[in-house]
């Protein structure tokens, strides 16, 4: 006998299905006025979101259910899962134009919707906040070089670094996403339906459902120092927004500057936290400029094998030849996570990307200093990437650092270089 939920159906025409008793009023003043996001398949007519929670992992859940390892109607016990550090609410949470790609109330569902959960409504968090420690070889090197010092609170004698971490699953408010990209909601829904191979029929058959849980990776935040300092304009904030590069971030590939810039950003964040401010790393799952790792490796091959070898002049052209577009990250949605944190200004932005800078300032976030990657951290094989980005106007190089700055960053006498 199948354990498939009996209510699952295929939609065949617009408006099919029963309207949820939990309408979503995006941008409402409170969580209860906004309404819960319900995307579980066992929620019946209460369901008010297209897709599935943890969309990137929903297929693995299907394997667990089909193999009998997990019950199809399983519900999580949320006891003691509340954030270790409460976040918000901030004014941006109730501005429907500021946050459209995540649920600002997503970490508080056990608190805000306790009555509904007790009644049996399957409401699940889309954000989790915890505490941890980081261990990075580069931080140990920074301590050995005198660039960082153990203080017993942020950096421990062992070299471990204390952080507050948050994991965020994407929750898309489709009208807001469409407006952000300057398209109609109907066109957006149709394209999402077509480009996902028709996986989500509700995109075109349920115009009444405005929330979509896309099958993509989310965001991880790493907060250094006092989390309360992040939203306090009187305290300094150093921030890096980093887009995933598995080959470099994890495996240390020398073909790009991703891991060096990430670890440089972490070091700068730690230093800011030790000086009484806060540091923030926002890590986005956008592998290969959001084109995927397979496409990225194909582009590597095309770049290396072209006549004359890898060249800055054809760096982006090779990507477009394989993928059809040079970069699919489109930073329009990126500021949402900073608005969730209540950020209104960044004192030191550890990035040279004009796209990131412009997206943040256009969303109302003030940026002070832009911090480039020091030349000594650029791997030799990444010089083509840097020259290509410079030629394409991808970033605007800042003025070279002073000798005093270099001494602080390098942590040794410049006469040695």
């Amino acid at each position: 006998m199948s354990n498939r939920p009996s209510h699952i159906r295929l939609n065949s025409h617009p408006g099919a299905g029963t309207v949820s008793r939990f309408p979503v009023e995006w941008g409402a003043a409170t969580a209860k006025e906004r309404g819960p996001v319900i995307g579980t398949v066992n929620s019946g007519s209460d369901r008010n979101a297209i897709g599935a929670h943890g969309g990137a992992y929903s297929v693995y859940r299907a394997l667990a259910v089909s193999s009998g390892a997990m019950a199809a109607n399983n519900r999580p016990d949320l006891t003691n899962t509340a954030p270790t550090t409460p976040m918000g609410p901030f004014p941006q949470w109730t501005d429907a134009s500021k946050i459209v790609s995540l649920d600002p109330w997503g970490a508080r569902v056990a608190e805000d919707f306790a009555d509904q959960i007790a009644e049996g409504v399957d409401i699940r968090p889309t954000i989790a906040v915890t505490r941890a420690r980081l261990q990075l070889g580069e931080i140990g090197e920074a301590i050995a070089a005198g660039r960082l010092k153990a203080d017993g609170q942020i950096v421990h004698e062992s070299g471990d670094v204390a952080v507050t971490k948050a994991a965020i699953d994407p929750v898309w408010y489709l009208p807001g996403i469409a407006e952000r990209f300057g398209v109609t909601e109907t066109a957006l829904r149709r394209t999402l339906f077509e480009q996902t191979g028709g996986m989500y029929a509700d995109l075109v058959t349920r115009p009444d459902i405005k929330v979509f849980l896309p099958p993509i990776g989310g965001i991880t935040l790493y907060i250094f120092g006092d989390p309360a300092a992040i939203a306090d304009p009187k305290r300094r904030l150093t921030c890096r927004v980093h887009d995933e590069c598995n080959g470099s971030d994890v495996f240390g590939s020398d073909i790009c500057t991703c891991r060096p810039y990430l670890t440089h950003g972490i070091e700068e964040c730690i230093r800011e936290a030790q000086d009484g401010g806060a540091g923030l790393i926002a890590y986005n799952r956008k592998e290969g400029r959001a084109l995927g790792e397979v496409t990225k490796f194909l582009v590597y091959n095309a770049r290396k094998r072209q006549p004359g070898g890898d060249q800055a002049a054809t760096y982006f052209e090779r990507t477009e030849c394989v993928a059809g577009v040079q970069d699919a990250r489109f930073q329009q949605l990126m500021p949402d996570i900073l608005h969730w944190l209540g950020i209104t200004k960044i004192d030191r932005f550890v990035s040279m990307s004009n796209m990131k800078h412009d997206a943040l300032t256009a969303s109302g976030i003030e940026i002070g200093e832009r911090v480039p990657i020091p030349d000594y951290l650029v791997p030799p094989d990444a010089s083509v990437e840097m020259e290509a980005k410079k030629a394409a106007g991808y970033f605007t190089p800042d003025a070279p650092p002073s000798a005093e700055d270099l001494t602080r960053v390098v942590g040794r006498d410049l006469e040695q270089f």
Side-chain angles (χ1 to χ4, degrees):
M1 183 175 178
S2 171
N3 61 359
R4 181 184 301 168
S6 60
H7 67 275
I8 289 181
R9 51 162 175 71
L10 293 177
N11 294 324
S12 59
H13 60 279
T18 304
V19 175
S20 172
R21 62 188 173 123
F22 297 104
V24 174
E25 297 295 334
W26 204 263
T30 67
K32 290 188 176 180
E33 291 176 275
R34 200 288 309 275
V37 172
I38 305 172
T40 45
V41 297
N42 57 14
S43 295
S45 61
D46 286 343
R47 198 162 183 260
N48 62 9
I50 302 165
H53 283 297
Y57 296 92
S58 58
V59 174
Y60 290 112
R61 280 204 307 275
L63 291 177
V65 171
S66 63
S67 67
M70 184 173 79
N73 60 354
N74 178 71
R75 297 190 180 190
D77 179 354
L78 298 178
T79 304
N80 293 328
T81 62
T84 54
T85 302
M87 298 290 182
F90 297 107
Q92 294 96 317
W93 291 22
T94 58
D95 184 339
S97 68
K98 289 292 187 185
I99 300 176
V100 298
S101 62
L102 60 94
D103 176 7
W105 307 97
R108 301 163 43 109
V109 299
E111 170 189 351
D112 291 331
F113 301 109
D115 293 344
Q116 290 81 3
I117 292 173
E119 291 174 11
V121 182
D122 193 355
I123 307 172
R124 304 191 181 190
T126 57
I127 300 176
V129 183
T130 189
R131 291 187 183 130
R133 292 191 185 186
L134 297 183
Q135 290 183 329
L136 290 172
E138 289 87 346
I139 298 304
E141 293 170 4
I143 294 172
R147 302 195 303 269
L148 292 176
K149 295 182 179 179
D151 57 22
Q153 292 185 330
I154 297 170
V155 180
H156 297 270
E157 294 296 332
S158 62
D160 293 356
V161 181
V163 295
T164 296
K165 299 197 302 185
I168 296 92
D169 278 340
V171 177
W172 287 7
Y173 179 58
L174 292 172
I177 297 282
E179 183 176 356
R180 192 78 62 90
F181 281 86
V183 300
T184 67
E185 183 185 345
T186 299
L188 174 65
R189 285 172 172 268
R190 172 60 62 178
T191 306
L192 286 169
F193 172 73
E194 293 172 348
Q195 293 299 317
T196 55
M199 281 196 299
Y200 304 102
D202 285 342
L203 285 167
V204 291
T205 64
R206 293 296 305 273
D208 58 306
I209 300 181
K210 301 295 186 180
V211 175
F212 178 43
L213 307 178
I216 59 174
I219 303 168
T220 307
L221 301 178
Y222 295 85
I223 299 170
F224 302 84
D226 180 7
I230 287 181
D232 185 350
K234 297 179 181 178
R235 300 172 72 176
R236 288 176 57 82
L237 173 64
T238 290
C239 172
R240 172 160 178 80
V241 177
H242 188 90
D243 293 332
E244 178 183 30
C245 178
N246 188 58
S248 179
D249 297 344
V250 178
F251 293 101
S253 169
D254 67 348
I255 200 172
C256 65
T257 59
C258 295
R259 181 180 175 94
Y261 219 151
L262 174 60
T263 57
H264 174 59
I266 291 173
E267 184 176 331
E268 294 296 320
C269 286
I270 292 170
R271 185 176 293 109
E272 191 73 80
Q274 290 183 320
D275 287 342
L280 171 67
I281 300 290
Y283 192 91
N284 297 289
R285 295 309 191 288
K286 295 180 180 178
E287 181 67 56
R289 299 198 197 112
L291 299 169
E293 203 163 29
V294 169
T295 296
K296 181 165 74 170
F297 289 3
L298 294 175
V299 171
Y300 284 168
N301 287 345
R303 284 169 49 192
K304 299 288 187 179
R305 289 171 176 166
Q306 66 184 332
D310 200 6
Q311 304 168 42
T314 57
Y315 178 88
F316 288 107
E317 179 186 341
R318 290 298 90 202
T319 301
E320 190 166 3
C321 285
V322 175
V325 65
Q326 293 183 1
D327 194 327
R329 285 175 293 179
F330 304 116
Q331 302 293 348
Q332 288 96 322
L333 301 179
M334 177 268 292
D336 288 21
I337 189 61
L338 304 189
H339 288 304
W340 177 68
L341 291 167
I343 292 172
T344 56
K345 73 174 181 69
I346 298 170
D347 296 279
R348 305 185 76 235
F349 186 50
V350 189
S351 172
M352 294 187 291
S353 168
N354 286 339
M355 289 195 300
K356 293 176 183 177
H357 172 275
D358 294 349
L360 288 168
T361 55
S363 77
I365 295 175
E366 177 187 346
I367 293 180
E369 178 187 0
R370 295 174 68 178
V371 182
I373 186 171
D375 287 343
Y376 76 91
L377 285 180
V378 179
D381 212 22
S383 58
V384 171
E385 174 200 34
M386 297 296 284
E387 290 303 317
K389 289 182 176 180
K390 188 184 301 182
Y394 196 83
F395 62 82
T396 302
D398 286 353
S402 66
E404 291 76 16
D405 288 339
L406 282 175
T407 300
R408 175 181 62 80
V409 172
V410 177
R412 62 193 76 173
D413 190 345
L414 290 175
E415 295 297 327
Q416 298 178 25
F417 293 86

